[in-house]
């Protein structure tokens, strides 16, 4: 009888309760929520920072630890609260399947195209298994040897991923570009050392057909006059003249006469590099001890140099403004515009390209409020004036004729503003930005109607057309909004106007809208967050993946005329078209094509 009572007591102790308490169900839901939100985010961020910077980020690592502790507290012994063994097994299977689905979906939809997504996914999933296992290994009663054994195996799966993969920046859509670490090491080192001894001689002549003297051309409008390209690249293919390895950065080329000049990051030196236009051979290199880097854009300078009267004006991402002799690269004068204006650098560095106006070079120091535009004497680097109403953004100052008056237009972080080029005096401003307060495009003065200016930007904002007027007593009035549209969301690029229509990359897709109304005509062609130029009635598009594409400026439909595999990876740099010569680059190579001209 005693044995029967003892057996009954043991049976009652080991059996789970009949039914599942509500509190246990709530614990399960909370554990699942933490597992598919906090843990993937924190561990994914930890891995990405490590692969990009070679170090662990304490903030995200701490989030991983906190998330694991939370899940352990919620799940420890929780299996005993569910009477059915089948239910307990299904919970375990559901957790595993949910983890694979969530992590797999995040990786698949947020990975770039350098490596096929399935390969990244197959490598990434095992590297995350230890996180979900650590959080849930106390869910059911297991031997410690089983818990620690599985944990050791899942931790070991992290090693291959961090050994063979690295992060090579982000795409324009903020997707992660993974690359193979071995391939990067093979291509690494100092590939430009072979060209260190300059062999070319150049003259940066300011006359002649081969002119592209600064960012987006002579007028900084991305519109090229005086060049008529052949329309059929199949029967008249462009001719590759040269391809060279270059240092990192997102600067474009400025071209004058025989020379093409750009900015490159070479190890810890920010370099202004001049090359022969037809051969790509280096003529000279000017180097400064400076390096800029950030998560989104990676290392290197951002701004395109300006060429004027045989001199090169170049500004690096850390604010170093150089005036260089165009034939020799000798420094005429130098000033750090951030230090000179009491400014602090922004997240993406100094991006605005120098603007030449008469005897001045005008720059955006991206500084504190009220110091967002500055002019320096071209001869000696003396600051002539400083102006601004708020922090500068990432566009470049441009000279334009608006409402019958020559003025400098540029984007601040929250508005577009116009200044007198002689004194810096503010003429007018108009609120225009996005929720990121990041504007990288250029204003567009409407061709044939200089009383209207088209503004575009990315990050969901779109475009607006404004009218600029002066009162009867010759005072500037507040600009009036003519229309506003969610179309033409130019993130990294500038749209162009042609025959009462506007063409641009709307979140990476080519779009055409009506200039008078802002209404969309069509939107096709996934070219990514690249750049484009208007050449007569043709669009020359430098795609983000690297190809160059020729497209009709056709308001009815997308008509693609040809394409060439100019570059082979992410390209945000603005191309240069100097006469028949297309010179374009990205963060590791540059290329020059001779394009066929119309007969």
């Amino acid at each position: 009888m005693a044995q029967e009572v003892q057996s009954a007591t043991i049976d009652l102790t080991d059996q789970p309760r009949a039914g599942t308490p509500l509190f246990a169900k709530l614990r399960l839901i909370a554990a699942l929520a933490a597992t598919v939100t906090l843990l993937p985010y924190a561990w994914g961020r930890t891995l990405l920072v490590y692969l990009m910077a070679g170090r662990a980020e304490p903030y995200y690592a701490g989030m991983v630890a906190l998330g694991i502790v939370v899940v352990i507290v919620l799940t420890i012994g929780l299996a005993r609260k569910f009477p059915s063994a089948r239910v307990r097994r299904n919970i375990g299977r559901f957790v595993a399947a949910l983890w694979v689905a969530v992590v797999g979906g995040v990786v698949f939809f947020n990975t770039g195209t350098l490596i096929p997504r399935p390969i990244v996914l197959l490598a990434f999933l095992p590297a995350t298994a230890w996180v979900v296992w650590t959080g849930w290994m106390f869910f059911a009663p297991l031997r410690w040897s089983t818990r620690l054994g599985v944990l050791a195996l899942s931790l070991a799966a992290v090693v291959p991923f961090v050994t063979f993969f690295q992060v090579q920046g982000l795409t324009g859509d903020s997707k992660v570009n993974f690359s193979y670490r071995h391939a990067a090491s093979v291509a690494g080192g100092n590939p430009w050392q072979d060209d260190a001894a300059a062999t070319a001689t150049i003259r940066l002549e300011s006359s002649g057909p081969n002119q592209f003297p600064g960012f987006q051309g002579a007028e900084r409008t991305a519109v090229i006059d005086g060049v008529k390209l052949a329309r059929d690249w199949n029967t008249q293919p462009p001719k590759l003249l040269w391809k060279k390895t270059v240092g990192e950065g997102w600067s474009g080329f400025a071209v004058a006469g025989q020379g093409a000049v750009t900015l490159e990051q070479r190890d810890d030196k920010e370099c202004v590099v001049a090359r022969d236009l037809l051969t790509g051979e280096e003529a000279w290199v000017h180097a400064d001890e400076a390096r800029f880097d950030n998560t989104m854009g990676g290392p290197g300078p951002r701004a395109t140099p300006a060429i004027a009267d045989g001199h090169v004006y170049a500004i690096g991402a850390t604010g170093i403004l150089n005036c260089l002799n165009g034939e020799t690269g000798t420094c005429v004068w130098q000033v750090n515009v951030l230090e000179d204006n009491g400014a602090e650098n922004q997240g993406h560095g100094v991006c605005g390209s120098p603007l030449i106006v008469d005897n001045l070079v005008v720059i955006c120091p991206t500084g504190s409020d009220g110091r967002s535009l500055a002019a320096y004497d071209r001869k000696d680097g003396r600051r002539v004036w400083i102006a601004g109403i708020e922090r500068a953004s990432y566009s470049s100052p441009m000279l334009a004729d608006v409402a019958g008056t020559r003025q400098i237009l540029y984007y601040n972080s929250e508005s577009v503003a116009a200044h007198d080029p002689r004194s810096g005096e503010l003429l007018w401003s108009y609120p225009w930005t996005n929720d990121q307060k990041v504007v990288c495009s250029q204003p567009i003065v409407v061709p044939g109607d200089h009383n209207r200016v088209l503004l575009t930007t990315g990050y969901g904002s779109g475009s607006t057309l404004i009218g600029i007027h002066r009162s009867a007593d010759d005072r500037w009035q507040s600009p009036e909004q003519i229309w506003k549209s969610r179309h033409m969301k130019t993130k990294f690029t500038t749209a162009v106007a042609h025959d009462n229509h506007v063409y641009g990359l709307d979140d990476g897709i080519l779009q055409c809208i009506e200039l008078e109304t802002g209404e969309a005509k069509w939107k096709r062609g996934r070219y990514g967050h690249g750049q484009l130029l208007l050449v007569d009635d043709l669009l020359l598009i430098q795609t983000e993946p690297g190809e160059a594409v020729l497209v009709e400026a056709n308001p009815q439909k997308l008509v693609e005329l040809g394409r060439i595999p100019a570059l082979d990876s992410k390209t945000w740099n603005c191309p240069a078209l100097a006469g028949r010569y297309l010179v374009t680059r990205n963060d590791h190579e540059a290329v020059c094509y001779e394009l066929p001209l119309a007969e």
Side-chain angles (χ1 to χ4, degrees), residues 355 357 397-410 417-422 425 427-429 445 450 453 468 470 476:
L355 171 68
V357 183
M398 61 184 291
L399 189 65
D401 186 328
V402 180
T405 301
R406 195 173 73 146
Q407 51 199 261
I408 296 174
L409 300 181
Y410 77 108
H419 291 260
D420 187 319
R422 296 165 299 177
E425 176 190 358
L427 304 179
W428 57 267
S429 67
V445 180
H450 291 187
V453 179
I468 312 297
R470 303 171 87 162
W476 292 97

Side-chain angles (χ1 to χ4, degrees), residues 25-203:
K25 295 178 180 179
L26 294 177
R27 284 175 58 191
L28 178 62
I29 293 172
L32 290 171
T35 299
V36 299
T37 55
L38 179 59
L39 289 183
Y41 173 80
W43 176 235
R45 287 284 185 173
T46 302
L47 267 182
L48 292 181
V49 171
Y50 179 79
L51 292 176
M52 283 189 287
R55 58 177 174 80
E57 173 58 55
Y59 175 76
Y60 294 118
M63 287 180 64
V64 174
L66 175 62
I68 289 174
V69 170
V70 169
V71 175
I72 289 175
V73 170
L74 290 171
T75 60
I76 189 167
L78 185 60
R80 293 181 179 274
K81 306 298 182 181
F82 292 85
S84 170
R86 181 175 61 84
V87 170
R88 294 194 295 268
R89 288 193 298 270
N90 287 340
I91 289 174
R93 293 166 184 159
F94 181 74
V95 171
L98 188 62
W99 180 262
V100 170
V102 171
V103 174
V106 169
V107 173
F108 189 84
F109 291 107
N110 291 279
T111 298
T113 57
L114 288 183
I115 297 178
R117 291 186 180 95
I119 294 178
V120 177
L121 185 60
L122 290 174
F124 191 87
L125 277 173
T128 68
W130 77 272
V131 180
V132 66
W133 174 257
T134 305
W136 285 83
M137 66 181 180
F138 297 102
F139 172 71
L142 297 172
R143 294 188 179 93
W144 274 100
S145 59
T146 302
R147 289 173 179 154
L148 297 180
V150 175
L151 179 60
L153 288 174
S154 55
L155 281 171
V158 180
V159 176
F161 187 78
V162 299
T163 301
F164 296 107
F165 291 87
Q166 68 176 6
V167 172
Q168 192 173 321
L170 305 179
T171 69
D173 290 323
S174 299
K175 294 182 179 180
V176 180
N177 264 331
F178 289 98
S179 64
Y180 296 114
R181 194 177 293 273
H182 171 70
S185 64
V186 170
N190 297 327
W192 46 79
Q193 283 185 344
D194 293 338
D195 292 335
T199 57
T201 57
I202 59 170
R203 293 191 62 182

